[in-house]
């Protein structure tokens, strides 16, 4: 078995295709483990992991924590809201203090793009990026690709459209990198105000007509409208956004094929997708959540195997 | 590197039939007994034994599962290479069953220790036995001994015992390889 080419998971752009395949194959094994009566293995019983969340998160944090516990790692949690960050402590000081407690790996979510890269150069621990600003969210992209592979057999050659707020989305950027690396064709679709100008340089096409995008694709990844990141108005109203870029049952039924619907969550029901779509057989949203634990177990396991004793 | 043949195809065949008979003596109809091949190499031996039990000794049904012990080993991060996982496939309950672990070579006993932990994830067996084709005695790190053994071998640590199977390597043979 080969090993990961990196010592940290900072973003998909630092991985190669073999890394992704290795993570997927390892996740296959962990998926079997988490479906056993006892879902825990003792592999990482000598590893301590700190989950540093400088930004709110529910599902990613839970998913990481569950993955770590199922590998028998010791876990400590940190939320910026109740910490010395509020008193003016720097990121390096905060992390170094935590590392003094003999922590081997740091899983970090941070509002600033590049925080993980910065940390990896300044502290001695394996870093996993759990989302850095609007930059990357590598484990989300891995679990999305893994879910496509599980549903459609392969990612290569598939047409995937990412719909919604591309501008503020780390999920979109990581997904584009991951999908392109695996040989999928990618389009982005959304209001022009929410599509960054550089996006075509990543080898993706822009489509502003949702129906055309859906007619072209095998998979539609519906992104959440991130109201908290919108300091100015990017579209006239939520109602208008929904009319142009929301997916409902009638629209899906009018297509001549069945496409796979994905959503990284949390869903604004009735905005990006209607409830009947979110709960339909075409949607693999809950599979994405289940696969998230297996993918994060695989990433942590493979990175831990590179930590020297 | 030099190698010598420890067991020929004919000898392996005789041993497999003896081991199958010993299993029948203790487990008769295999109603409450399941075989578990330890991944990766134990599964070939387990499949052979199952075939012999069904075809030559008319046992109607023999349940066989594969157990991967990678995530239960105590040498994670100690070796040069990362540990490679294999498939676990146990589609029956082991709760209250008589489990027979099957592995090709018993060496330090660490794999079997890991397997004893791993099987607990699938329930609580009534009892667990160990069957091994080659028992490298004097090499044990842990107090583990087989209940059924094909052949005892005295080999020094620089030597490796390699079991070849027709299905995989094109021949049934056991080699002692001097590295």
């Amino acid at each position: 078995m080969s090993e990961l080419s990196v010592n940290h998971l900072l973003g998909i752009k630092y991985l190669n295709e073999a890394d992704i395949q290795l993570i997927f194959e390892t996740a296959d094994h962990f998926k079997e483990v988490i479906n056993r009566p006892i879902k825990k293995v003792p592999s990482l019983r000598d590893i301590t992991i700190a989950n540093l969340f400088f930004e709110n998160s529910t599902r990613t944090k839970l998913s990481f924590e569950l993955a770590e516990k199922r590998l028998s790692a010791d876990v400590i949690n940190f939320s910026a809201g109740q910490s010395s960050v509020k008193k003016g402590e720097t990121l390096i000081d905060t992390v170094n203090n935590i590392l003094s407690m003999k922590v081997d790996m740091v899983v970090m979510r941070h509002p600033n793009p590049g925080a993980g890269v910065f940390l990896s150069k300044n502290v001695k621990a394996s870093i996993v990026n759990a989302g850095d600003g609007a930059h990357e969210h590598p484990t989300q992209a891995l679990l999305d690709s893994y879910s496509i592979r599980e549903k459609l057999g392969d990612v290569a050659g598939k047409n995937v459209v990412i719909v919604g707020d591309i501008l503020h989305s780390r999920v979109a950027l990581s997904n584009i990198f991951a999908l392109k690396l695996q040989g999928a064709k990618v389009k982005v679709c959304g209001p022009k105000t929410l599509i960054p100008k550089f996006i075509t340089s990543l080898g993706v096409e822009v489509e502003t007509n949702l129906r055309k995008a859906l007619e072209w694709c095998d998979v539609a990844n519906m992104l959440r409208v991130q109201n908290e990141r919108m300091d100015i108005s990017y579209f006239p109203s939520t109602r208008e956004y929904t009319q142009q870029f929301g997916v409902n049952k009638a629209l899906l039924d009018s297509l001549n094929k069945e496409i796979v619907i994905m959503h990284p969550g949390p869903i604004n029901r009735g905005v990006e997708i209607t409830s009947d779509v979110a709960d339909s057989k075409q949607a693999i949203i809950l599979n994405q959540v289940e696969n998230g634990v297996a993918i994060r177990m695989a990433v942590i396991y493979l990175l831990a195997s590179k930590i020297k004793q | 590197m030099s190698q010598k043949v420890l067991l020929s195809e004919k000898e392996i065949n005789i041993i497999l039939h003896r081991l199958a008979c010993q299993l029948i003596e203790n487990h008769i109809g295999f109603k409450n007994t399941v075989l578990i091949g330890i991944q990766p190499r134990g599964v070939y031996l387990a499949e052979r034994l199952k075939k012999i039990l069904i075809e030559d000794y008319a046992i109607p049904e023999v349940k066989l599962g594969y157990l991967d012990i990678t995530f239960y080993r105590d040498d994670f991060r100690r070796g040069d290479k990362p540990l490679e996982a294999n498939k676990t496939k146990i589609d029956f309950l082991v709760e209250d069953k008589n489990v027979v672990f099957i592995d090709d070579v018993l060496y330090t006993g660490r794999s079997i220790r890991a397997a004893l932990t791993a099987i607990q994830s699938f329930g609580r067996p009534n009892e667990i036995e160990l069957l091994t084709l080659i028992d490298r005695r004097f090499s044990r790190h842990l107090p583990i001994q087989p209940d059924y053994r094909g052949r005892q071998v005295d080999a020094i640590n620089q030597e490796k015992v390699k079991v070849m199977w027709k299905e995989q390597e094109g021949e049934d043979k056991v080699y002692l390889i001097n590295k």
Side-chain angles (χ1 to χ4, degrees), chain A residues 39-56:
Chain A
K39 301 160 179 62
K40 205 171 163 92
V41 294
S43 306
L44 264 61
R45 63 196 153 210
D46 58 343
I47 294 273
T48 306
I49 302 176
N51 297 319
L52 311 186
F53 279 73
F54 293 89
E55 198 181 62
N56 289 338

Side-chain angles (χ1 to χ4, degrees), chain B residues 26-172:
Chain B
N26 288 343
H27 299 279
I28 307 168
F30 285 80
K31 286 211 167 54
N32 205 37
T33 298
V34 297
L35 307 183
I36 300 285
I38 308 294
Q39 284 277 25
R41 305 285 304 180
V43 299
Y44 305 126
L45 173 60
E47 278 168 0
R48 276 298 179 86
L49 284 169
K50 179 180 173 176
K51 194 163 176 256
I52 291 171
L53 288 168
I54 292 173
E55 289 177 7
D56 296 0
Y57 298 99
I59 309 287
E61 194 194 354
V62 179
K63 286 198 171 77
L64 168 61
Y66 309 146
L67 180 65
D68 181 54
I69 54 153
T70 309
F71 302 129
Y72 298 85
R73 279 168 56 166
D74 58 6
D75 55 354
F76 181 62
R77 297 197 294 128
R78 283 178 173 80
D80 298 331
K81 284 185 192 166
L83 299 175
E84 184 176 358
N86 289 285
K87 203 172 174 56
T88 290
K89 185 172 170 282
I90 300 179
D91 45 15
F92 45 77
L93 293 173
V94 298
E95 188 77 24
D96 288 331
K97 292 283 193 302
N98 300 321
V99 171
V100 183
F101 281 163
I102 298 176
D103 207 355
D104 59 347
V105 180
L106 176 62
Y107 182 30
T108 62
R110 287 178 188 269
S111 298
I112 301 304
R113 195 232 28 98
L116 288 166
T117 314
I119 199 70
Q120 304 291 333
S121 296
F122 297 87
R124 181 183 179 276
N126 180 43
E127 62 164 30
I128 301 175
E129 290 181 323
L130 173 61
L131 180 151
T132 179
L133 182 64
I134 304 292
D135 171 17
R136 289 184 67 168
R137 60 177 175 177
F138 309 136
S139 306
R140 218 74 80 231
H141 294 175
L142 300 166
I144 286 169
Q145 299 302 332
D147 297 284
Y148 312 90
R149 65 166 67 82
R151 172 71 63 89
Q152 261 187 344
V153 173
D154 299 338
I156 54 174
N157 281 340
Q158 286 75 31
E159 291 169 328
K160 186 177 159 73
V161 177
K162 180 87 183 159
V163 181
M164 317 290 261
W165 296 107
K166 231 177 224 165
E167 300 87 328
Q168 286 302 309
E169 287 88 11
E171 59 172 0
D172 281 351

Side-chain angles (χ1 to χ4, degrees), chain A residues 278-299:
Chain A
D279 303 330
S280 71
K281 278 185 187 166
Q282 280 174 267
I284 56 167
I285 298 165
L286 292 177
N287 303 66
Q288 289 173 266
V289 178
E290 185 192 344
N291 290 339
V293 178
I295 283 286
R296 287 176 178 121
M297 286 174 84
V299 165

Side-chain angles (χ1 to χ4, degrees), chain A residues 132-170:
Chain A
D132 56 338
H135 182 221
E136 280 225 40
H137 191 354
T139 53
Q140 179 70 44
L142 288 167
L143 76 91
D144 286 346
S145 297
Y146 184 79
S147 301
I148 294 172
R149 169 184 176 264
E150 187 179 70
K151 181 76 179 175
L152 300 176
D154 202 352
V155 179
K158 298 292 179 294
N159 294 343
V160 182
V161 64
I162 304 173
V163 183
D165 179 2
I166 313 296
L167 183 66
H168 296 102
S169 178
R170 52 194 170 216

